[in-house]
Amino acid sequence: MLSLNVNGQTLEVGEDVDPKTPLLWVLRDTLGLVGTKYGCGVGQCSACTVHLNGVAIQSCQVPAESAVGQRITTIEGLSAPGATLTAVQQAWVEEDVPQCGYCQAGQIMRATALLARLPKPTDAQIDNDMAANICRCGTYTRIRKAIHSAAAKIAKTGGAS
Amino acid sequence: MSSKPFEPNPYLPEYLQKLEIERHEQSLALSRRTFIKLTGLAGGGLVLAMSMGPGARQALAQTKSPAAEVTLNPYIQIRPDNTIVLYAKNPEIGQGVKTSLPMIVAEELDADWSTVEVRQAVIDAKLYGPQVAGGSTSTPTNWDPLRKAGATARAMLVAAAAKQWNVPASELTTENNVVHHVKSNRSATYGELAEVAATLPVPDAATLQLKPRSSYRLLGKRITGVDNTKIVTGQPLFGIDFRVPGMLFATFTKAPAIGAHVKSANIDEIKKLRGVKDAFIVGQQGDHIGFNPGGPAVGSGVAILASSTWAAMQAKKQLKITWDETNASSDSWTDFKAQAKVLAAKPVAAQVLGQAGDVDGAFAGGKTLDAMYTYHYVSHADLEPQNTTAWFKGDHIEIWTPSQTPQAAVDAVAALLGLPKDKITLHQLRGGGGFGRRLANDAVCEAAAISKQAGGIPVKVQWMREDDMTFDYYRPGGFHSFKASVDKGGKLSAWQGHFITVSRDGKAPMTAANIAPTEFPANVLANQRMLQSLISSRVPTGPWRAPGSNAIAFAVQSFLHECAVAAKRDHLEFLLEVMGEPRFTVADNLRALHTGRAANVIKTVAQRAGWGREMPQGSALGLAFHFSHAGHFAEVAEVSVDANKKVQVHKVWVVADIGPIVNLSGAENQCQGSVVDAVSTAMGLKITFEKGRVEQTNFDKYPLVRIDKAPEVDVHFVESNYPPTGCGEPAFPPAAPAIANAIFTVTGQRVRTLPFSAEGYTL
Ligand code: FES
Ligand code: FES
């Protein structure tokens, strides 16, 4: 039996689930948090990106058991349901980044972690982090724009995202 | 009943026309009910006429609409609080139609967009006519019907106010969900008028006055996607996100060699594995190699049903299957290349698809050049791997899927299970990418067959990335050999294209492996010939973003540049000269190439990119044009190449004439995305196969471009007054040749293979 801290809640994962199951599938199939996406399963696309203690990781590469005792944040946990969106989420909506939208949860999670570390990233710094994520629809121009715009929003409101 | 023969919408590409004809024929056989016949299958206008009528409204009243929402027609509901629900009829796969199609309705309705909620419409040909995401057809084929849907509802709301106030309708105006009578200073909201409006007769379509473009309030603006908030908060939207209580997660394993059959498998061992609930062999049903969205398509394989996707995936790895490869493909790309070389050397033996003028005379009188181009197979690689949830319930079945052809999916499942079509309920879900992959319904068929064979358990069949990449209806690979001549004046005097493509039956090209005999520049030249030779293949092919064009443009636009170089002419000037006088290349066909529109986008893109300007050492601009999906697109790429063949694509300028723009934000996003897709595909993507087995299985072998290598993309629309055309595909084709032409200008080396990595270039 695993006990995971997801989006500020402690969630129990039943005996029937193999503790070696990648976090991705525990989130999606066991806990019903389907915002985190499967794209490749081999650490190539980052559609499955979540935060482990605030750091962006590929959840398809992390066995659920090794996430025990750590703070897991998924796309569903960035802003409470119905509450104001974070600066990054807002920027994504306003810049109209998504096409199909499938990669965007992963993109937003990585961008959020990037901005927490580097509040005013350069294009090169954006490239460095965001190159981990594939967008098959090719929304990169807007992803870059949205990250800059989110950075400006955060600077204005004094750091709270 | 009309006795006129059925004519599919001529706008549609060939594969969709075929689909429409098939659906029509099946439906004639199955049903004689006039309503279904007329409304379900005819072109847009007729569907609208019928679907606005009392029959459809009755049907609608029975199927949905809680009392609070007043239904004016299948696209529009109005609530008493003066908010509006609009229905998006076509599948959303990232092309933006869930936002743009309702915008068209809202414009004519004079709706306040901020009060609009958009919902995905049910899949029902009686109400909506064809519901398809393919061929960049959503905008052009729905432009008139949706404008009329909006205008019809508006006219009914106006009529309700006129009745209430006892004034002539002609004195009333509308704006933002309100009807005004200026003279008497009265106004009423749509919410107040809807109930009465719904009881009034539907106005004759001929009496409707559609807005002139100059008074548009919404169309042409930047409107953000209606599902954006759901996307950025991770709410369930996609096929893969769907589940029903009691559902099992399934994998399905087909043969590595395309077309092999399961002889035996270690089913008993698999059933004992953790989380596995059931496993069984599924026999082949229908044809899963030919692209046929409306037919059964289940390959022979093994289904594993488990309590989670991971459990099913783990068990899949433990499968030991003995395959019967008697009828399997043994195709080899290496062998295809060798065959193509032999065929290209003998153009006289090729089939003549079309010719005009005196090609050989022009060749004899000019300077000739020849070259052969090669393009590899590519996979669609939708980021959301194929999936479908199905629940077989004995005499009926329910399906949840992100299909691009949901109506054909119903046909396919009906044929597969032997059920009448009205016993199949298909729920349309959002697709995580499509690019043509989800036009085929093989995953839908698999889920239906597996749910049935499992005894009526709800099942989500989820393909792994490896399944998705090794079983696709690929963009066919092929070869294009050219000969051309330039005369003493440096003019292109003759052109011969020898198209070497794949065929399953040895008679005709496979799906999306064909070329039109009039393909540019055949349609603008006096002396031209188009030849075709076939190579036998069983590797499945299908439409892939800008079918045909996606490879043809690379070959044609590169070789045209070769001609310009041979003629020692400036490429821009040469290309404009090839276009010649402004004219439609097919008389009176608004969907045909118009050389004046072409010249206009070519000149405009040259101007925006600064064609002819001094470039730094190692950098150059490359130009290309391509017409597809009724869209005229010219692009310039700014590229640098170093001594190690390392390429940087710095910026791509796109200039497009697709008529008026519906949603500027969406249209621009599509063009930017198409160019990025084209850079990926041109630089490094290929699918190869040996012994009938595909060699690339995941993204590590299929290097899609990432943000650090994506160019800046500048998009400009020439908003002409021609009818609007689609935008999901036509920006793709010119990008590869523009880049290749720039590489030539920098290096003096001509790249003649897609992807360029096959010739040693890397990003
Ligand atoms: S699904 Fe985890 S990296 Fe692709
Ligand atoms: S928006 Fe479709 S994969 Fe990124």
Side-chain angles (χ1 to χ4, degrees), chain A residues 97-104 107 134-139, chain B residues 383 432-433:
Chain A
V97 177
Q99 283 186 31
C100 80
Y102 193 75
C103 72
Q104 302 297 350
Q107 308 276 7
I134 289 175
C135 174
R136 170 66 181 91
C137 300
T139 61
Chain B
L383 198 56

Side-chain angles (χ1 to χ4, degrees), chain B residues 304-577:
Chain B
I304 300 173
L305 285 61
S307 54
S308 74
T309 316
W310 177 249
M313 281 166 73
Q314 287 301 92
K316 182 176 168 54
K317 284 190 199 144
Q318 304 298 319
L319 263 176
K320 291 191 191 79
I321 305 176
T322 314
W323 299 101
D324 172 358
E325 297 195 5
T326 322
N327 293 313
S329 153
S330 57
D331 290 330
S332 149
W333 173 249
T334 315
D335 181 50
F336 282 17
K337 282 194 287 188
Q339 286 188 52
K341 227 180 203 170
V342 174
L343 291 166
K346 278 207 250 159
V348 282
Q351 179 193 356
V352 179
L353 289 182
Q355 60 184 330
D358 179 10
V359 176
D360 299 318
F363 282 170
K367 173 176 165 190
T368 61
L369 61 158
D370 51 57
M372 182 163 162
Y373 285 78
T374 301
Y375 47 95
H376 282 78
Y377 283 72
V378 287
S379 174
H380 293 85
D382 299 352
L383 198 56
E384 178 191 15
Q386 308 307 302
N387 62 70
T388 293
T389 301
W391 191 352
F392 179 75
K393 300 171 182 176
D395 61 348
H396 68 288
I397 186 167
E398 216 168 339
I399 289 165
W400 296 263
T401 187
S403 174
Q404 287 181 244
T405 55
Q407 293 170 347
V410 170
D411 297 346
V413 173
L416 176 76
L417 301 182
L419 286 175
K421 281 197 236 179
D422 60 2
K423 295 291 179 198
I424 297 159
T425 308
L426 186 142
H427 307 271
Q428 180 68 40
L429 299 176
R430 189 180 184 93
F435 311 105
R437 178 60 184 87
R438 298 183 212 274
L439 291 164
N441 291 306
D442 44 344
V444 180
C445 291
E446 288 172 5
I450 291 169
S451 176
K452 181 178 179 186
Q453 199 171 333
I457 291 170
V459 169
K460 173 159 72 188
V461 169
Q462 180 60 55
W463 290 23
M464 305 294 94
R465 170 58 52 198
E466 289 78 5
D467 301 317
D468 202 272
M469 202 164 281
T470 54
F471 204 95
D472 196 350
Y473 296 91
Y474 302 98
R475 189 283 297 280
F479 310 87
H480 216 143
S481 166
F482 296 102
K483 184 172 179 182
S485 58
V486 286
D487 65 18
K488 289 196 184 67
K491 262 186 120 147
L492 182 63
S493 53
W495 176 281
Q496 174 178 287
H498 182 187
F499 188 66
I500 301 170
T501 191
V502 285
S503 169
R504 190 176 175 190
D505 61 4
K507 294 186 196 112
M510 292 176 79
T511 304
N514 59 319
I515 192 167
T518 53
E519 179 66 42
F520 181 84
N523 52 0
V524 295
L525 292 178
N527 303 316
Q528 55 82 13
R529 185 185 291 141
M530 183 78 81
L531 307 171
Q532 178 173 279
S533 299
L534 303 175
I535 293 173
S536 279
S537 170
R538 299 188 56 201
V539 177
T541 68
W544 190 104
R545 191 177 221 163
S549 298
N550 55 39
I552 291 169
F554 161 67
V556 166
Q557 292 290 320
S558 296
F559 191 63
L560 256 186
H561 185 224
E562 292 200 51
C563 295
V565 172
K568 301 197 169 54
R569 303 270 304 277
D570 171 59
H571 187 195
L572 170 64
E573 180 208 355
F574 188 80
L575 190 54
L576 289 171
E577 184 182 87

Side-chain angles (χ1 to χ4, degrees), chain A residues 14-22 25-47 58 60 75-80 85 88-90 92-105 107-108 126-145 147, chain B residues 92-96 222-225 228-229 231-238 240-243 249 274-275 307-310 313-314 379-385 430-435 460 462-466 544-545 663-666 668-674 676-677 698-702 704-713:
Chain A
E15 300 279 343
D16 53 325
V17 175
D18 180 349
K20 297 216 164 6
T21 305
W25 296 111
V26 172
L27 290 170
R28 288 189 58 85
D29 292 351
T30 314
L31 303 177
L33 292 168
V34 295
T36 306
K37 296 294 192 267
Y38 163 72
C40 70
V42 297
Q44 282 284 326
C45 74
S46 290
Q58 295 172 327
C60 73
I75 187 79
E76 291 93 343
L78 282 187
S79 52
L85 300 177
V88 176
Q89 289 172 315
Q90 276 173 35
W92 243 253
V93 171
E94 288 162 11
E95 297 296 339
D96 199 21
V97 177
Q99 283 186 31
C100 80
Y102 193 75
C103 72
Q104 302 297 350
Q107 308 276 7
I108 288 169
I126 290 176
D127 282 353
N128 193 48
D129 272 37
M130 299 305 295
N133 290 52
I134 289 175
C135 174
R136 170 66 181 91
C137 300
T139 61
Y140 301 123
T141 314
R142 290 182 178 198
I143 288 174
R144 186 184 303 285
K145 228 175 143 192
I147 292 175
Chain B
E92 174 63 63
I93 50 165
Q95 82 285 41
R222 287 182 178 272
I223 299 297
T224 57
N228 279 2
T229 304
I231 289 168
V232 305
T233 53
Q235 291 173 49
L237 278 174
F238 299 91
I240 196 174
D241 299 340
F242 190 78
R243 63 203 293 177
F249 299 82
R274 185 169 189 165
S307 54
S308 74
T309 316
W310 177 249
M313 281 166 73
Q314 287 301 92
S379 174
H380 293 85
D382 299 352
L383 198 56
E384 178 191 15
R430 189 180 184 93
F435 311 105
K460 173 159 72 188
Q462 180 60 55
W463 290 23
M464 305 294 94
R465 170 58 52 198
E466 289 78 5
W544 190 104
R545 191 177 221 163
N663 179 4
L664 185 54
S665 180
E668 184 193 78
N669 209 350
Q670 289 304 306
C671 291
Q672 290 172 332
S674 293
V676 170
D677 191 2
N698 208 317
F699 293 138
D700 51 343
K701 296 270 170 52
Y702 201 74
L704 289 159
V705 153
R706 294 158 189 270
I707 195 168
D708 55 335
K709 302 289 169 66
E712 187 186 340
V713 186

Side-chain angles (χ1 to χ4, degrees), chain B residues 76-78 82-86 109 111 115-117 177 190:
Chain B
I76 303 168
Q77 291 177 331
I78 296 184
N82 205 26
T83 59
I84 294 175
V85 182
L86 296 181
L109 179 61
T115 68
V116 168
E117 178 197 337
N177 301 6
Y190 287 1

Side-chain angles (χ1 to χ4, degrees), chain A residues 1-6 10-23 26-27 30-31 62-69 72, chain B residues 274:
Chain A
M1 178 113 135
L2 297 177
S3 162
L4 296 174
N5 175 345
V6 186
T10 304
L11 301 174
E12 306 294 337
V13 175
E15 300 279 343
D16 53 325
V17 175
D18 180 349
K20 297 216 164 6
T21 305
L23 182 57
V26 172
L27 290 170
T30 314
L31 303 177
V62 174
E65 61 184 4
S66 69
V68 171
I72 303 162
Chain B
R274 185 169 189 165

Side-chain angles (χ1 to χ4, degrees), chain B residues 64-327:
Chain B
K64 47 172 179 260
S65 187
E69 285 157 356
V70 179
T71 301
L72 291 184
N73 61 48
Y75 298 94
I76 303 168
Q77 291 177 331
I78 296 184
R79 299 197 191 100
D81 67 359
N82 205 26
T83 59
I84 294 175
V85 182
L86 296 181
Y87 286 85
K89 60 169 280 207
N90 280 0
E92 174 63 63
I93 50 165
Q95 82 285 41
V97 290
K98 193 170 173 188
T99 306
S100 62
L101 295 184
M103 280 173 71
I104 300 173
V105 178
E107 180 68 65
E108 289 293 342
L109 179 61
D110 266 339
D112 174 356
W113 185 252
S114 68
T115 68
V116 168
E117 178 197 337
V118 174
R119 291 188 195 147
Q120 187 73 46
V122 294
I123 299 306
D124 188 341
K126 295 191 290 298
L127 296 174
Y128 296 104
Q131 293 172 286
V132 182
S136 291
T137 55
S138 280
T139 303
T141 59
N142 290 295
W143 176 244
D144 281 335
L146 293 185
R147 285 191 303 158
K148 284 180 188 156
T152 302
R154 180 189 165 276
M156 289 161 77
L157 290 159
V158 165
K163 194 172 159 195
Q164 199 167 312
W165 299 330
N166 202 18
V167 296
S170 60
E171 289 181 5
L172 300 176
T173 56
T174 51
E175 192 178 357
N176 286 338
N177 301 6
V178 180
V179 181
H180 298 285
H181 186 238
V182 179
K183 261 193 196 163
S184 64
N185 197 22
R186 271 180 295 193
S187 40
T189 68
Y190 287 1
E192 290 159 355
L193 295 166
E195 205 146 339
V196 175
T199 64
L200 300 178
V202 177
D204 181 353
T207 67
L208 295 174
Q209 282 200 340
L210 297 178
K211 285 185 181 179
R213 216 174 130 189
S214 55
S215 55
Y216 285 166
R217 296 184 175 107
L218 188 60
L219 296 186
K221 292 230 166 75
R222 287 182 178 272
I223 299 297
T224 57
V226 294
D227 279 339
N228 279 2
T229 304
K230 287 185 182 153
I231 289 168
V232 305
T233 53
Q235 291 173 49
L237 278 174
F238 299 91
I240 196 174
D241 299 340
F242 190 78
R243 63 203 293 177
V244 283
M247 181 189 90
L248 293 179
F249 299 82
T251 56
F252 187 54
T253 304
K254 288 178 294 224
I258 293 158
H261 287 255
V262 181
K263 219 190 248 171
S264 63
N266 57 337
I267 299 289
D268 293 335
E269 269 170 61
I270 294 295
K271 280 188 181 167
K272 288 187 204 126
L273 296 174
R274 185 169 189 165
V276 173
K277 304 288 179 194
D278 200 359
F280 44 81
I281 294 170
V282 179
Q284 184 188 327
Q285 292 156 68
D287 171 20
H288 63 298
I289 290 176
F291 171 81
N292 180 13
V298 181
S300 168
V302 175
I304 300 173
L305 285 61
S307 54
S308 74
T309 316
W310 177 249
M313 281 166 73
Q314 287 301 92
K316 182 176 168 54
K317 284 190 199 144
Q318 304 298 319
L319 263 176
K320 291 191 191 79
I321 305 176
T322 314
W323 299 101
D324 172 358
E325 297 195 5
T326 322
N327 293 313

